[in-house]
Structures are given as structure tokens and as C-alpha cells.
Amino acid sequence: MDAEAQERFREFVAGRSTALLRTAVLLSGGDRHAAEDLLQNALVKAAGRWQRIDEPEAYVRQVLYRQQISRWRLKWRRREVTVAEPPEAGHAPDVSGAAELRLVLRTALSRLTARQRTVLVLRYFEDLPEAEVARILGCSVGTVRSTTHRSLARLRQLAPELAGFGPRPRQRSHDFSPVEVRP
């Protein structure tokens, strides 16, 4: 890689690594260390092909997804329970309700299977259409739909306190509120 390409790669890593790490954390079920490994491996692969990549972020995200899929397919699966990390020294505790909901969601996501978690991340965090998720995961659209449905049901079961959050049902055009009619 020449000096100009190295500089472009450094700029890409500096500018996009935070967003890519967030995706990797979600894909790994909240395990930050596994997410960092996932992202590091993806960036190493991107560095090796940097001069031939047209869309670097799309390429790195694709590598992240595929690496996560490879982890599912391992015959031996890790059986670990993720626990909350102790707070770092010097930071004031976050007392907002949003922080508590993030922890509840993180714990619930970590208890889903890797496949369920990945489908939810791709559909709702990455906001990809079902067809694109199916293409990335190498399965049918029907599989994505059924996995999404089962994953959301399991998430609701694991964290019922999240029931008030999420997408709201859309009003249909034929739905209308009663209007008082005066003669």
C-alpha cells in the first residue's frame, strides 16, 4: 500500500471506527472485547484489499456480518454469561432512565442466539430491508421474517419492561377517530 492509500485508510479508521464498533458490539451481544476483535479482523481484511475497495464502509460492514455468521457455524459454542462491567473510575453515574433501558436491552440481547441478535441488528439498528438481510445472511426472506418474529417475541419475553418502546403501529388511511357531528 502506498503512502497516499495508507493515509486514506487511517482517515477512514479514525472517522468511522466508532460507528463500526457500535455495530460490532451489537452483533457480539454486548461483549465489547469480542466486538473489538471482530472489528480489528474486519479492518485487517480491509487493509489488505484497500486499493481495490470502492466503498470501504460497506466492505467492512459486510466483513463484520460474515465473521459473525462464521461464529454461529462453529461446532463448539461458547457458553458464557455476560455480566455488567464495573463503572470506570472518575465518571459520574448515569442516573437517567435511558441508561437503565440500555442495560436491560443489552442484557436481553446477550441472551438471544447469535443469529437472532444479528437479524435484529441488521433489521433495526442498520435499518436494512429484509431482502438485503437475507442476501447478507445467505438465507431466504421468509427465514429473515420468521427469525425476526421469533427474536422479537423472545426479546419481549426476556425484557417485558421494553414493551412501551419501539416502533409504534401506523395509522391506516381508513382508520379515523370518531368525529362529533352536529345537526
Side-chain angles (χ1 to χ4, degrees), residues 118-137:
T118 301
V119 168
L120 291 180
V121 168
L122 292 174
R123 284 288 292 131
Y124 298 108
F125 182 75
E126 294 291 326
D127 199 25
L128 296 177
E130 291 169 338
E132 180 67 11
V133 174
R135 187 190 64 74
I136 289 169
L137 299 180

Side-chain angles (χ1 to χ4, degrees), residues 156 163-172 175:
R156 287 183 192 107
F165 296 91
R168 304 278 187 249
R170 293 184 185 155
Q171 288 285 354
R172 295 189 182 122
D175 291 344

Side-chain angles (χ1 to χ4, degrees), residues 8-175:
R8 286 194 323 265
F9 181 72
R10 283 189 189 109
E11 288 173 3
F12 170 76
V13 171
R16 298 305 303 154
S17 62
T18 302
L20 292 168
L21 182 60
R22 275 194 303 265
T23 300
V25 167
L26 290 170
L27 288 171
S28 64
D31 184 347
R32 186 170 175 91
H33 297 292
E36 289 171 351
D37 289 343
L38 194 66
L39 179 58
Q40 185 68 31
N41 290 336
L43 290 174
V44 166
K45 287 183 181 186
R49 298 183 50 92
W50 186 252
Q51 293 177 316
R52 295 182 299 252
I53 298 173
D54 293 327
E55 295 184 40
E57 185 160 355
Y59 179 85
V60 172
R61 286 182 184 275
Q62 185 77 24
V63 172
L64 286 173
Y65 306 146
R66 290 180 189 259
Q67 284 181 337
Q68 186 62 27
I69 292 168
S70 294
R71 288 183 182 190
W72 304 339
R73 294 180 177 152
L74 292 176
K75 291 183 181 187
W76 178 81
R77 296 181 185 247
R78 279 190 342 207
R79 305 278 183 207
E80 295 181 13
V81 177
T82 306
V83 296
E85 297 176 22
E88 294 181 19
H91 292 279
D94 187 357
V95 294
S96 70
E100 183 178 332
L101 286 174
R102 282 193 306 269
L103 289 173
V104 168
L105 180 60
R106 181 178 178 181
T107 302
L109 282 172
S110 71
R111 294 182 61 199
L112 295 176
T113 66
R115 183 179 192 96
Q116 289 173 326
R117 196 170 44 246
T118 301
V119 168
L120 291 180
V121 168
L122 292 174
R123 284 288 292 131
Y124 298 108
F125 182 75
E126 294 291 326
D127 199 25
L128 296 177
E130 291 169 338
E132 180 67 11
V133 174
R135 187 190 64 74
I136 289 169
L137 299 180
C139 62
S140 69
V141 173
T143 300
V144 170
R145 287 179 183 158
S146 63
T147 303
T148 301
H149 177 75
R150 285 191 307 273
S151 302
L152 289 173
R154 178 74 175 139
L155 197 60
R156 287 183 192 107
Q157 180 186 19
L158 292 170
E161 55 269 46
L162 296 175
F165 296 91
R168 304 278 187 249
R170 293 184 185 155
Q171 288 285 354
R172 295 189 182 122
S173 60
H174 64 276
D175 291 344

